Amino acid sequence: MAAIRKIVGRNRNLTSFNSNSNGNCSLIPPTLFVSCRGIASKLFVGGLSFYTSNKGLSDAFSQYGQVVEANIVMDRVSDKSKGFGFVTFASHEEAEKALSEMNGKTLDGRVIVVDYAKPKTSFRSGMPIARGPPESIADRVKVNFFDEEPKTQKS
């Protein structure tokens, strides 16, 4: 945190997410601070209607506590909802209450499933390692288009 303040202090021309009344800039959004400290609890919401918006999701869950962020995952190509999203609450107690109350309820005509969000797994961590073809490839049938009968390749 101190290192970030030092960098921002030297480079005032950096683009910032937010700034307070003192003029101090922060390159890190406040939702990241909340989730890093372990104060916030993120819930997974599945089975959403394709017509549910971020605001509609936030409004539905705000009756159980302070919603820090409500995000519906969208398809990159079609820009339509994938049918699930995430809601971040300010405290664990609020998230627990919303989980117990909203799981199995109807939202915009669809029954939703609410659970705690799992940490994001990274599938592309670094360079891929080429290890060759799987061993089961050697057992596959090799077809020669000029022969009438397929031949099995044996190692």
Side-chain angles (χ1 to χ4, degrees):
M1 182 91 119
I4 293 172
R5 277 192 225 130
K6 195 179 261 188
I7 291 170
V8 172
R10 287 185 196 151
N11 301 320
R12 288 286 180 193
N13 58 354
L14 291 174
T15 305
S16 64
F17 283 101
N18 64 346
S19 60
N20 56 22
S21 60
N22 299 340
N24 294 332
C25 297
S26 174
L27 293 174
I28 301 173
T31 56
L32 185 61
F33 280 130
V34 173
S35 61
C36 287
R37 291 180 186 159
I39 299 168
S41 289
K42 190 177 246 190
L43 297 178
F44 165 82
V45 184
L48 291 173
S49 167
F50 297 113
Y51 303 107
T52 303
S53 64
N54 289 338
K55 182 170 177 8
L57 184 64
S58 177
D59 291 345
F61 280 86
S62 64
Q63 59 185 335
Y64 301 104
Q66 180 186 359
V67 175
V68 176
E69 180 183 32
N71 185 25
I72 295 177
V73 178
M74 306 296 271
D75 184 50
R76 291 181 192 166
V77 177
S78 65
D79 201 33
K80 292 184 180 179
S81 169
K82 286 191 172 185
F84 68 94
F86 298 95
V87 178
T88 307
F89 281 93
S91 72
H92 182 71
E93 292 80 21
E94 294 171 346
E96 201 171 288
K97 184 178 176 185
L99 174 73
S100 64
E101 295 288 327
M102 290 294 287
N103 192 20
K105 296 284 173 131
T106 303
L107 180 65
D108 292 337
R110 301 275 309 258
V111 176
I112 60 172
V113 177
V114 182
D115 197 8
Y116 288 108
K118 310 277 189 290
K120 200 176 207 180
T121 56
S122 174
F123 294 108
R124 297 180 186 175
S125 58
M127 292 290 293
I129 299 171
R131 295 189 176 127
E135 293 182 27
S136 63
I137 296 269
D139 299 332
R140 291 188 181 170
V141 175
K142 188 173 186 179
V143 177
N144 187 347
F145 292 105
F146 300 108
D147 293 338
E148 291 181 16
E149 295 288 323
K151 296 180 182 177
T152 305
Q153 179 185 7
K154 294 185 180 179
S155 300

PDB file of all heavy atoms in Angstrom, residues 35-75:
ATOM      1  N   SER A  35     -12.334  -6.417  -1.128  1.00  0.00           N
ATOM      2  CA  SER A  35     -12.223  -7.860  -1.285  1.00  0.00           C
ATOM      3  C   SER A  35     -10.865  -8.374  -0.821  1.00  0.00           C
ATOM      4  O   SER A  35     -10.771  -9.496  -0.348  1.00  0.00           O
ATOM      5  CB  SER A  35     -12.476  -8.259  -2.730  1.00  0.00           C
ATOM      6  OG  SER A  35     -11.531  -7.672  -3.574  1.00  0.00           O
ATOM      7  N   CYS A  36      -9.803  -7.576  -0.931  1.00  0.00           N
ATOM      8  CA  CYS A  36      -8.487  -8.005  -0.473  1.00  0.00           C
ATOM      9  C   CYS A  36      -8.435  -8.090   1.050  1.00  0.00           C
ATOM     10  O   CYS A  36      -7.751  -8.926   1.595  1.00  0.00           O
ATOM     11  CB  CYS A  36      -7.402  -7.050  -0.971  1.00  0.00           C
ATOM     12  SG  CYS A  36      -7.067  -7.219  -2.716  1.00  0.00           S
ATOM     13  N   ARG A  37      -9.142  -7.227   1.719  1.00  0.00           N
ATOM     14  CA  ARG A  37      -9.136  -7.230   3.177  1.00  0.00           C
ATOM     15  C   ARG A  37      -9.971  -8.365   3.737  1.00  0.00           C
ATOM     16  O   ARG A  37      -9.925  -8.646   4.912  1.00  0.00           O
ATOM     17  CB  ARG A  37      -9.679  -5.904   3.694  1.00  0.00           C
ATOM     18  CG  ARG A  37      -8.759  -4.757   3.422  1.00  0.00           C
ATOM     19  CD  ARG A  37      -9.338  -3.486   3.958  1.00  0.00           C
ATOM     20  NE  ARG A  37      -8.515  -2.370   3.569  1.00  0.00           N
ATOM     21  CZ  ARG A  37      -8.932  -1.127   3.527  1.00  0.00           C
ATOM     22  NH1 ARG A  37     -10.169  -0.837   3.849  1.00  0.00           N
ATOM     23  NH2 ARG A  37      -8.127  -0.165   3.175  1.00  0.00           N
ATOM     24  N   GLY A  38     -10.743  -9.013   2.917  1.00  0.00           N
ATOM     25  CA  GLY A  38     -11.562 -10.114   3.377  1.00  0.00           C
ATOM     26  C   GLY A  38     -12.848  -9.669   4.047  1.00  0.00           C
ATOM     27  O   GLY A  38     -13.522 -10.457   4.682  1.00  0.00           O
ATOM     28  N   ILE A  39     -13.195  -8.402   3.934  1.00  0.00           N
ATOM     29  CA  ILE A  39     -14.402  -7.885   4.557  1.00  0.00           C
ATOM     30  C   ILE A  39     -15.607  -8.244   3.705  1.00  0.00           C
ATOM     31  O   ILE A  39     -16.635  -8.650   4.216  1.00  0.00           O
ATOM     32  CB  ILE A  39     -14.316  -6.355   4.734  1.00  0.00           C
ATOM     33  CG1 ILE A  39     -13.140  -6.005   5.626  1.00  0.00           C
ATOM     34  CG2 ILE A  39     -15.604  -5.805   5.288  1.00  0.00           C
ATOM     35  CD1 ILE A  39     -12.798  -4.531   5.635  1.00  0.00           C
ATOM     36  N   ALA A  40     -15.474  -8.114   2.431  1.00  0.00           N
ATOM     37  CA  ALA A  40     -16.599  -8.330   1.520  1.00  0.00           C
ATOM     38  C   ALA A  40     -16.782  -9.807   1.247  1.00  0.00           C
ATOM     39  O   ALA A  40     -15.865 -10.602   1.356  1.00  0.00           O
ATOM     40  CB  ALA A  40     -16.364  -7.595   0.219  1.00  0.00           C
ATOM     41  N   SER A  41     -17.999 -10.161   0.909  1.00  0.00           N
ATOM     42  CA  SER A  41     -18.316 -11.523   0.509  1.00  0.00           C
ATOM     43  C   SER A  41     -19.000 -11.476  -0.841  1.00  0.00           C
ATOM     44  O   SER A  41     -19.949 -10.730  -1.042  1.00  0.00           O
ATOM     45  CB  SER A  41     -19.241 -12.172   1.529  1.00  0.00           C
ATOM     46  OG  SER A  41     -18.543 -12.419   2.713  1.00  0.00           O
ATOM     47  N   LYS A  42     -18.504 -12.294  -1.736  1.00  0.00           N
ATOM     48  CA  LYS A  42     -19.045 -12.320  -3.092  1.00  0.00           C
ATOM     49  C   LYS A  42     -19.902 -13.561  -3.252  1.00  0.00           C
ATOM     50  O   LYS A  42     -19.501 -14.659  -2.881  1.00  0.00           O
ATOM     51  CB  LYS A  42     -17.896 -12.323  -4.098  1.00  0.00           C
ATOM     52  CG  LYS A  42     -18.317 -12.115  -5.524  1.00  0.00           C
ATOM     53  CD  LYS A  42     -17.119 -12.070  -6.430  1.00  0.00           C
ATOM     54  CE  LYS A  42     -16.992 -10.694  -7.021  1.00  0.00           C
ATOM     55  NZ  LYS A  42     -16.004 -10.601  -8.084  1.00  0.00           N
ATOM     56  N   LEU A  43     -21.094 -13.343  -3.809  1.00  0.00           N
ATOM     57  CA  LEU A  43     -22.023 -14.432  -4.053  1.00  0.00           C
ATOM     58  C   LEU A  43     -22.163 -14.684  -5.543  1.00  0.00           C
ATOM     59  O   LEU A  43     -22.166 -13.750  -6.341  1.00  0.00           O
ATOM     60  CB  LEU A  43     -23.405 -14.098  -3.481  1.00  0.00           C
ATOM     61  CG  LEU A  43     -23.515 -13.910  -1.984  1.00  0.00           C
ATOM     62  CD1 LEU A  43     -24.947 -13.536  -1.610  1.00  0.00           C
ATOM     63  CD2 LEU A  43     -23.090 -15.153  -1.242  1.00  0.00           C
ATOM     64  N   PHE A  44     -22.291 -15.943  -5.904  1.00  0.00           N
ATOM     65  CA  PHE A  44     -22.583 -16.345  -7.272  1.00  0.00           C
ATOM     66  C   PHE A  44     -24.091 -16.463  -7.393  1.00  0.00           C
ATOM     67  O   PHE A  44     -24.755 -17.039  -6.528  1.00  0.00           O
ATOM     68  CB  PHE A  44     -21.927 -17.699  -7.573  1.00  0.00           C
ATOM     69  CG  PHE A  44     -22.446 -18.357  -8.816  1.00  0.00           C
ATOM     70  CD1 PHE A  44     -21.958 -17.999 -10.052  1.00  0.00           C
ATOM     71  CD2 PHE A  44     -23.423 -19.338  -8.750  1.00  0.00           C
ATOM     72  CE1 PHE A  44     -22.440 -18.600 -11.207  1.00  0.00           C
ATOM     73  CE2 PHE A  44     -23.903 -19.955  -9.891  1.00  0.00           C
ATOM     74  CZ  PHE A  44     -23.403 -19.583 -11.121  1.00  0.00           C
ATOM     75  N   VAL A  45     -24.655 -15.905  -8.460  1.00  0.00           N
ATOM     76  CA  VAL A  45     -26.092 -15.984  -8.713  1.00  0.00           C
ATOM     77  C   VAL A  45     -26.282 -16.621 -10.081  1.00  0.00           C
ATOM     78  O   VAL A  45     -25.902 -16.051 -11.096  1.00  0.00           O
ATOM     79  CB  VAL A  45     -26.755 -14.586  -8.667  1.00  0.00           C
ATOM     80  CG1 VAL A  45     -28.254 -14.715  -8.836  1.00  0.00           C
ATOM     81  CG2 VAL A  45     -26.415 -13.855  -7.382  1.00  0.00           C
ATOM     82  N   GLY A  46     -26.847 -17.810 -10.114  1.00  0.00           N
ATOM     83  CA  GLY A  46     -27.052 -18.544 -11.358  1.00  0.00           C
ATOM     84  C   GLY A  46     -28.526 -18.650 -11.706  1.00  0.00           C
ATOM     85  O   GLY A  46     -29.395 -18.457 -10.855  1.00  0.00           O
ATOM     86  N   GLY A  47     -28.806 -18.965 -12.942  1.00  0.00           N
ATOM     87  CA  GLY A  47     -30.177 -19.125 -13.399  1.00  0.00           C
ATOM     88  C   GLY A  47     -30.889 -17.811 -13.653  1.00  0.00           C
ATOM     89  O   GLY A  47     -32.117 -17.756 -13.647  1.00  0.00           O
ATOM     90  N   LEU A  48     -30.138 -16.757 -13.910  1.00  0.00           N
ATOM     91  CA  LEU A  48     -30.744 -15.445 -14.143  1.00  0.00           C
ATOM     92  C   LEU A  48     -31.435 -15.388 -15.496  1.00  0.00           C
ATOM     93  O   LEU A  48     -31.019 -16.053 -16.450  1.00  0.00           O
ATOM     94  CB  LEU A  48     -29.671 -14.343 -14.098  1.00  0.00           C
ATOM     95  CG  LEU A  48     -29.039 -14.060 -12.750  1.00  0.00           C
ATOM     96  CD1 LEU A  48     -27.880 -13.085 -12.915  1.00  0.00           C
ATOM     97  CD2 LEU A  48     -30.054 -13.496 -11.787  1.00  0.00           C
ATOM     98  N   SER A  49     -32.459 -14.569 -15.555  1.00  0.00           N
ATOM     99  CA  SER A  49     -33.134 -14.311 -16.817  1.00  0.00           C
ATOM    100  C   SER A  49     -32.183 -13.517 -17.712  1.00  0.00           C
ATOM    101  O   SER A  49     -31.353 -12.751 -17.231  1.00  0.00           O
ATOM    102  CB  SER A  49     -34.406 -13.502 -16.568  1.00  0.00           C
ATOM    103  OG  SER A  49     -34.909 -12.993 -17.778  1.00  0.00           O
ATOM    104  N   PHE A  50     -32.319 -13.689 -19.008  1.00  0.00           N
ATOM    105  CA  PHE A  50     -31.464 -12.959 -19.942  1.00  0.00           C
ATOM    106  C   PHE A  50     -31.832 -11.482 -19.995  1.00  0.00           C
ATOM    107  O   PHE A  50     -31.114 -10.683 -20.578  1.00  0.00           O
ATOM    108  CB  PHE A  50     -31.535 -13.591 -21.326  1.00  0.00           C
ATOM    109  CG  PHE A  50     -31.018 -14.996 -21.344  1.00  0.00           C
ATOM    110  CD1 PHE A  50     -31.868 -16.064 -21.583  1.00  0.00           C
ATOM    111  CD2 PHE A  50     -29.681 -15.260 -21.096  1.00  0.00           C
ATOM    112  CE1 PHE A  50     -31.400 -17.363 -21.590  1.00  0.00           C
ATOM    113  CE2 PHE A  50     -29.196 -16.556 -21.102  1.00  0.00           C
ATOM    114  CZ  PHE A  50     -30.057 -17.615 -21.343  1.00  0.00           C
ATOM    115  N   TYR A  51     -32.951 -11.117 -19.386  1.00  0.00           N
ATOM    116  CA  TYR A  51     -33.395  -9.725 -19.371  1.00  0.00           C
ATOM    117  C   TYR A  51     -33.081  -9.024 -18.056  1.00  0.00           C
ATOM    118  O   TYR A  51     -33.391  -7.849 -17.904  1.00  0.00           O
ATOM    119  CB  TYR A  51     -34.893  -9.664 -19.658  1.00  0.00           C
ATOM    120  CG  TYR A  51     -35.234 -10.316 -20.976  1.00  0.00           C
ATOM    121  CD1 TYR A  51     -35.877 -11.545 -21.012  1.00  0.00           C
ATOM    122  CD2 TYR A  51     -34.879  -9.719 -22.184  1.00  0.00           C
ATOM    123  CE1 TYR A  51     -36.173 -12.160 -22.217  1.00  0.00           C
ATOM    124  CE2 TYR A  51     -35.169 -10.325 -23.391  1.00  0.00           C
ATOM    125  CZ  TYR A  51     -35.812 -11.537 -23.400  1.00  0.00           C
ATOM    126  OH  TYR A  51     -36.088 -12.137 -24.598  1.00  0.00           O
ATOM    127  N   THR A  52     -32.461  -9.715 -17.100  1.00  0.00           N
ATOM    128  CA  THR A  52     -32.081  -9.097 -15.827  1.00  0.00           C
ATOM    129  C   THR A  52     -30.875  -8.196 -16.060  1.00  0.00           C
ATOM    130  O   THR A  52     -29.905  -8.597 -16.701  1.00  0.00           O
ATOM    131  CB  THR A  52     -31.739 -10.170 -14.785  1.00  0.00           C
ATOM    132  OG1 THR A  52     -32.851 -11.042 -14.637  1.00  0.00           O
ATOM    133  CG2 THR A  52     -31.414  -9.553 -13.443  1.00  0.00           C
ATOM    134  N   SER A  53     -30.931  -6.975 -15.519  1.00  0.00           N
ATOM    135  CA  SER A  53     -29.823  -6.026 -15.659  1.00  0.00           C
ATOM    136  C   SER A  53     -29.007  -5.981 -14.364  1.00  0.00           C
ATOM    137  O   SER A  53     -29.422  -6.524 -13.340  1.00  0.00           O
ATOM    138  CB  SER A  53     -30.368  -4.636 -15.972  1.00  0.00           C
ATOM    139  OG  SER A  53     -31.131  -4.167 -14.878  1.00  0.00           O
ATOM    140  N   ASN A  54     -27.857  -5.316 -14.426  1.00  0.00           N
ATOM    141  CA  ASN A  54     -27.031  -5.135 -13.228  1.00  0.00           C
ATOM    142  C   ASN A  54     -27.808  -4.403 -12.149  1.00  0.00           C
ATOM    143  O   ASN A  54     -27.731  -4.741 -10.970  1.00  0.00           O
ATOM    144  CB  ASN A  54     -25.751  -4.366 -13.566  1.00  0.00           C
ATOM    145  CG  ASN A  54     -24.783  -5.191 -14.379  1.00  0.00           C
ATOM    146  OD1 ASN A  54     -24.835  -6.422 -14.369  1.00  0.00           O
ATOM    147  ND2 ASN A  54     -23.896  -4.530 -15.084  1.00  0.00           N
ATOM    148  N   LYS A  55     -28.564  -3.378 -12.547  1.00  0.00           N
ATOM    149  CA  LYS A  55     -29.347  -2.602 -11.586  1.00  0.00           C
ATOM    150  C   LYS A  55     -30.452  -3.454 -10.978  1.00  0.00           C
ATOM    151  O   LYS A  55     -30.692  -3.406  -9.772  1.00  0.00           O
ATOM    152  CB  LYS A  55     -29.945  -1.366 -12.243  1.00  0.00           C
ATOM    153  CG  LYS A  55     -30.730  -0.489 -11.283  1.00  0.00           C
ATOM    154  CD  LYS A  55     -31.089   0.835 -11.897  1.00  0.00           C
ATOM    155  CE  LYS A  55     -31.921   1.728 -11.034  1.00  0.00           C
ATOM    156  NZ  LYS A  55     -32.150   1.362  -9.674  1.00  0.00           N
ATOM    157  N   GLY A  56     -31.106  -4.267 -11.781  1.00  0.00           N
ATOM    158  CA  GLY A  56     -32.151  -5.150 -11.275  1.00  0.00           C
ATOM    159  C   GLY A  56     -31.612  -6.174 -10.287  1.00  0.00           C
ATOM    160  O   GLY A  56     -32.246  -6.470  -9.265  1.00  0.00           O
ATOM    161  N   LEU A  57     -30.416  -6.692 -10.576  1.00  0.00           N
ATOM    162  CA  LEU A  57     -29.773  -7.637  -9.677  1.00  0.00           C
ATOM    163  C   LEU A  57     -29.385  -6.966  -8.368  1.00  0.00           C
ATOM    164  O   LEU A  57     -29.626  -7.497  -7.283  1.00  0.00           O
ATOM    165  CB  LEU A  57     -28.542  -8.243 -10.359  1.00  0.00           C
ATOM    166  CG  LEU A  57     -27.792  -9.331  -9.613  1.00  0.00           C
ATOM    167  CD1 LEU A  57     -28.669 -10.558  -9.418  1.00  0.00           C
ATOM    168  CD2 LEU A  57     -26.525  -9.704 -10.364  1.00  0.00           C
ATOM    169  N   SER A  58     -28.838  -5.760  -8.484  1.00  0.00           N
ATOM    170  CA  SER A  58     -28.455  -4.998  -7.292  1.00  0.00           C
ATOM    171  C   SER A  58     -29.671  -4.650  -6.445  1.00  0.00           C
ATOM    172  O   SER A  58     -29.637  -4.774  -5.212  1.00  0.00           O
ATOM    173  CB  SER A  58     -27.718  -3.731  -7.712  1.00  0.00           C
ATOM    174  OG  SER A  58     -27.393  -2.953  -6.595  1.00  0.00           O
ATOM    175  N   ASP A  59     -30.757  -4.228  -7.075  1.00  0.00           N
ATOM    176  CA  ASP A  59     -31.979  -3.869  -6.345  1.00  0.00           C
ATOM    177  C   ASP A  59     -32.573  -5.076  -5.626  1.00  0.00           C
ATOM    178  O   ASP A  59     -33.069  -4.951  -4.504  1.00  0.00           O
ATOM    179  CB  ASP A  59     -33.014  -3.265  -7.292  1.00  0.00           C
ATOM    180  CG  ASP A  59     -32.609  -1.893  -7.801  1.00  0.00           C
ATOM    181  OD1 ASP A  59     -31.686  -1.289  -7.212  1.00  0.00           O
ATOM    182  OD2 ASP A  59     -33.202  -1.434  -8.795  1.00  0.00           O
ATOM    183  N   ALA A  60     -32.532  -6.234  -6.256  1.00  0.00           N
ATOM    184  CA  ALA A  60     -33.100  -7.432  -5.648  1.00  0.00           C
ATOM    185  C   ALA A  60     -32.334  -7.855  -4.395  1.00  0.00           C
ATOM    186  O   ALA A  60     -32.922  -8.314  -3.421  1.00  0.00           O
ATOM    187  CB  ALA A  60     -33.114  -8.570  -6.659  1.00  0.00           C
ATOM    188  N   PHE A  61     -31.014  -7.668  -4.408  1.00  0.00           N
ATOM    189  CA  PHE A  61     -30.201  -8.098  -3.281  1.00  0.00           C
ATOM    190  C   PHE A  61     -29.963  -6.990  -2.258  1.00  0.00           C
ATOM    191  O   PHE A  61     -29.510  -7.265  -1.147  1.00  0.00           O
ATOM    192  CB  PHE A  61     -28.856  -8.640  -3.784  1.00  0.00           C
ATOM    193  CG  PHE A  61     -28.944 -10.056  -4.281  1.00  0.00           C
ATOM    194  CD1 PHE A  61     -29.319 -10.323  -5.580  1.00  0.00           C
ATOM    195  CD2 PHE A  61     -28.667 -11.118  -3.444  1.00  0.00           C
ATOM    196  CE1 PHE A  61     -29.416 -11.619  -6.041  1.00  0.00           C
ATOM    197  CE2 PHE A  61     -28.757 -12.421  -3.891  1.00  0.00           C
ATOM    198  CZ  PHE A  61     -29.137 -12.681  -5.197  1.00  0.00           C
ATOM    199  N   SER A  62     -30.253  -5.739  -2.582  1.00  0.00           N
ATOM    200  CA  SER A  62     -29.973  -4.630  -1.664  1.00  0.00           C
ATOM    201  C   SER A  62     -30.875  -4.628  -0.437  1.00  0.00           C
ATOM    202  O   SER A  62     -30.550  -3.993   0.554  1.00  0.00           O
ATOM    203  CB  SER A  62     -30.083  -3.292  -2.396  1.00  0.00           C
ATOM    204  OG  SER A  62     -31.408  -3.089  -2.830  1.00  0.00           O
ATOM    205  N   GLN A  63     -31.979  -5.352  -0.468  1.00  0.00           N
ATOM    206  CA  GLN A  63     -32.842  -5.413   0.707  1.00  0.00           C
ATOM    207  C   GLN A  63     -32.225  -6.246   1.831  1.00  0.00           C
ATOM    208  O   GLN A  63     -32.695  -6.208   2.957  1.00  0.00           O
ATOM    209  CB  GLN A  63     -34.210  -5.958   0.326  1.00  0.00           C
ATOM    210  CG  GLN A  63     -34.192  -7.337  -0.280  1.00  0.00           C
ATOM    211  CD  GLN A  63     -35.567  -7.761  -0.753  1.00  0.00           C
ATOM    212  OE1 GLN A  63     -36.560  -7.278  -0.241  1.00  0.00           O
ATOM    213  NE2 GLN A  63     -35.611  -8.657  -1.723  1.00  0.00           N
ATOM    214  N   TYR A  64     -31.132  -6.972   1.558  1.00  0.00           N
ATOM    215  CA  TYR A  64     -30.473  -7.785   2.574  1.00  0.00           C
ATOM    216  C   TYR A  64     -29.185  -7.158   3.091  1.00  0.00           C
ATOM    217  O   TYR A  64     -28.543  -7.727   3.965  1.00  0.00           O
ATOM    218  CB  TYR A  64     -30.178  -9.179   2.012  1.00  0.00           C
ATOM    219  CG  TYR A  64     -31.438  -9.864   1.567  1.00  0.00           C
ATOM    220  CD1 TYR A  64     -31.753  -9.968   0.218  1.00  0.00           C
ATOM    221  CD2 TYR A  64     -32.336 -10.355   2.497  1.00  0.00           C
ATOM    222  CE1 TYR A  64     -32.927 -10.574  -0.197  1.00  0.00           C
ATOM    223  CE2 TYR A  64     -33.522 -10.948   2.101  1.00  0.00           C
ATOM    224  CZ  TYR A  64     -33.808 -11.057   0.749  1.00  0.00           C
ATOM    225  OH  TYR A  64     -34.977 -11.644   0.348  1.00  0.00           O
ATOM    226  N   GLY A  65     -28.787  -6.022   2.556  1.00  0.00           N
ATOM    227  CA  GLY A  65     -27.581  -5.348   3.020  1.00  0.00           C
ATOM    228  C   GLY A  65     -26.999  -4.457   1.941  1.00  0.00           C
ATOM    229  O   GLY A  65     -27.570  -4.285   0.869  1.00  0.00           O
ATOM    230  N   GLN A  66     -25.835  -3.890   2.266  1.00  0.00           N
ATOM    231  CA  GLN A  66     -25.170  -2.965   1.338  1.00  0.00           C
ATOM    232  C   GLN A  66     -24.489  -3.745   0.222  1.00  0.00           C
ATOM    233  O   GLN A  66     -23.562  -4.509   0.448  1.00  0.00           O
ATOM    234  CB  GLN A  66     -24.133  -2.123   2.075  1.00  0.00           C
ATOM    235  CG  GLN A  66     -23.418  -1.150   1.179  1.00  0.00           C
ATOM    236  CD  GLN A  66     -22.290  -0.427   1.896  1.00  0.00           C
ATOM    237  OE1 GLN A  66     -22.062  -0.638   3.064  1.00  0.00           O
ATOM    238  NE2 GLN A  66     -21.595   0.418   1.162  1.00  0.00           N
ATOM    239  N   VAL A  67     -24.964  -3.538  -1.001  1.00  0.00           N
ATOM    240  CA  VAL A  67     -24.377  -4.178  -2.174  1.00  0.00           C
ATOM    241  C   VAL A  67     -23.249  -3.291  -2.683  1.00  0.00           C
ATOM    242  O   VAL A  67     -23.467  -2.136  -3.059  1.00  0.00           O
ATOM    243  CB  VAL A  67     -25.440  -4.402  -3.276  1.00  0.00           C
ATOM    244  CG1 VAL A  67     -24.799  -4.944  -4.537  1.00  0.00           C
ATOM    245  CG2 VAL A  67     -26.520  -5.332  -2.781  1.00  0.00           C
ATOM    246  N   VAL A  68     -22.032  -3.811  -2.665  1.00  0.00           N
ATOM    247  CA  VAL A  68     -20.870  -3.065  -3.149  1.00  0.00           C
ATOM    248  C   VAL A  68     -20.823  -3.097  -4.668  1.00  0.00           C
ATOM    249  O   VAL A  68     -20.563  -2.091  -5.317  1.00  0.00           O
ATOM    250  CB  VAL A  68     -19.564  -3.645  -2.556  1.00  0.00           C
ATOM    251  CG1 VAL A  68     -18.346  -2.938  -3.118  1.00  0.00           C
ATOM    252  CG2 VAL A  68     -19.584  -3.560  -1.043  1.00  0.00           C
ATOM    253  N   GLU A  69     -21.138  -4.277  -5.237  1.00  0.00           N
ATOM    254  CA  GLU A  69     -21.074  -4.432  -6.693  1.00  0.00           C
ATOM    255  C   GLU A  69     -22.013  -5.551  -7.125  1.00  0.00           C
ATOM    256  O   GLU A  69     -22.112  -6.577  -6.453  1.00  0.00           O
ATOM    257  CB  GLU A  69     -19.635  -4.775  -7.101  1.00  0.00           C
ATOM    258  CG  GLU A  69     -19.429  -4.962  -8.564  1.00  0.00           C
ATOM    259  CD  GLU A  69     -17.998  -5.360  -8.897  1.00  0.00           C
ATOM    260  OE1 GLU A  69     -17.343  -6.036  -8.101  1.00  0.00           O
ATOM    261  OE2 GLU A  69     -17.561  -4.986  -9.989  1.00  0.00           O
ATOM    262  N   ALA A  70     -22.707  -5.352  -8.206  1.00  0.00           N
ATOM    263  CA  ALA A  70     -23.531  -6.388  -8.830  1.00  0.00           C
ATOM    264  C   ALA A  70     -23.143  -6.444 -10.297  1.00  0.00           C
ATOM    265  O   ALA A  70     -23.177  -5.433 -10.995  1.00  0.00           O
ATOM    266  CB  ALA A  70     -25.012  -6.085  -8.671  1.00  0.00           C
ATOM    267  N   ASN A  71     -22.750  -7.617 -10.757  1.00  0.00           N
ATOM    268  CA  ASN A  71     -22.230  -7.744 -12.112  1.00  0.00           C
ATOM    269  C   ASN A  71     -22.818  -8.987 -12.778  1.00  0.00           C
ATOM    270  O   ASN A  71     -22.725 -10.076 -12.240  1.00  0.00           O
ATOM    271  CB  ASN A  71     -20.696  -7.849 -12.060  1.00  0.00           C
ATOM    272  CG  ASN A  71     -20.078  -7.871 -13.426  1.00  0.00           C
ATOM    273  OD1 ASN A  71     -20.640  -7.382 -14.386  1.00  0.00           O
ATOM    274  ND2 ASN A  71     -18.896  -8.455 -13.510  1.00  0.00           N
ATOM    275  N   ILE A  72     -23.410  -8.809 -13.941  1.00  0.00           N
ATOM    276  CA  ILE A  72     -23.911  -9.928 -14.736  1.00  0.00           C
ATOM    277  C   ILE A  72     -22.883 -10.207 -15.826  1.00  0.00           C
ATOM    278  O   ILE A  72     -22.421  -9.299 -16.519  1.00  0.00           O
ATOM    279  CB  ILE A  72     -25.292  -9.610 -15.348  1.00  0.00           C
ATOM    280  CG1 ILE A  72     -26.313  -9.455 -14.230  1.00  0.00           C
ATOM    281  CG2 ILE A  72     -25.707 -10.689 -16.326  1.00  0.00           C
ATOM    282  CD1 ILE A  72     -27.684  -9.073 -14.691  1.00  0.00           C
ATOM    283  N   VAL A  73     -22.502 -11.471 -15.969  1.00  0.00           N
ATOM    284  CA  VAL A  73     -21.494 -11.859 -16.953  1.00  0.00           C
ATOM    285  C   VAL A  73     -22.148 -11.878 -18.328  1.00  0.00           C
ATOM    286  O   VAL A  73     -23.186 -12.500 -18.529  1.00  0.00           O
ATOM    287  CB  VAL A  73     -20.893 -13.233 -16.595  1.00  0.00           C
ATOM    288  CG1 VAL A  73     -19.878 -13.671 -17.640  1.00  0.00           C
ATOM    289  CG2 VAL A  73     -20.253 -13.183 -15.217  1.00  0.00           C
ATOM    290  N   MET A  74     -21.515 -11.177 -19.272  1.00  0.00           N
ATOM    291  CA  MET A  74     -22.037 -11.050 -20.639  1.00  0.00           C
ATOM    292  C   MET A  74     -21.153 -11.807 -21.620  1.00  0.00           C
ATOM    293  O   MET A  74     -19.945 -11.912 -21.428  1.00  0.00           O
ATOM    294  CB  MET A  74     -22.082  -9.577 -21.044  1.00  0.00           C
ATOM    295  CG  MET A  74     -22.849  -8.684 -20.085  1.00  0.00           C
ATOM    296  SD  MET A  74     -24.562  -9.083 -19.976  1.00  0.00           S
ATOM    297  CE  MET A  74     -25.186  -8.057 -21.268  1.00  0.00           C
ATOM    298  N   ASP A  75     -21.770 -12.306 -22.678  1.00  0.00           N
ATOM    299  CA  ASP A  75     -21.045 -12.958 -23.750  1.00  0.00           C
ATOM    300  C   ASP A  75     -20.314 -11.903 -24.562  1.00  0.00           C
ATOM    301  O   ASP A  75     -20.883 -10.868 -24.903  1.00  0.00           O
ATOM    302  CB  ASP A  75     -22.018 -13.738 -24.636  1.00  0.00           C
ATOM    303  CG  ASP A  75     -21.308 -14.518 -25.716  1.00  0.00           C
ATOM    304  OD1 ASP A  75     -20.353 -15.247 -25.383  1.00  0.00           O
ATOM    305  OD2 ASP A  75     -21.707 -14.408 -26.887  1.00  0.00           O
TER     306      ASP A  75
END
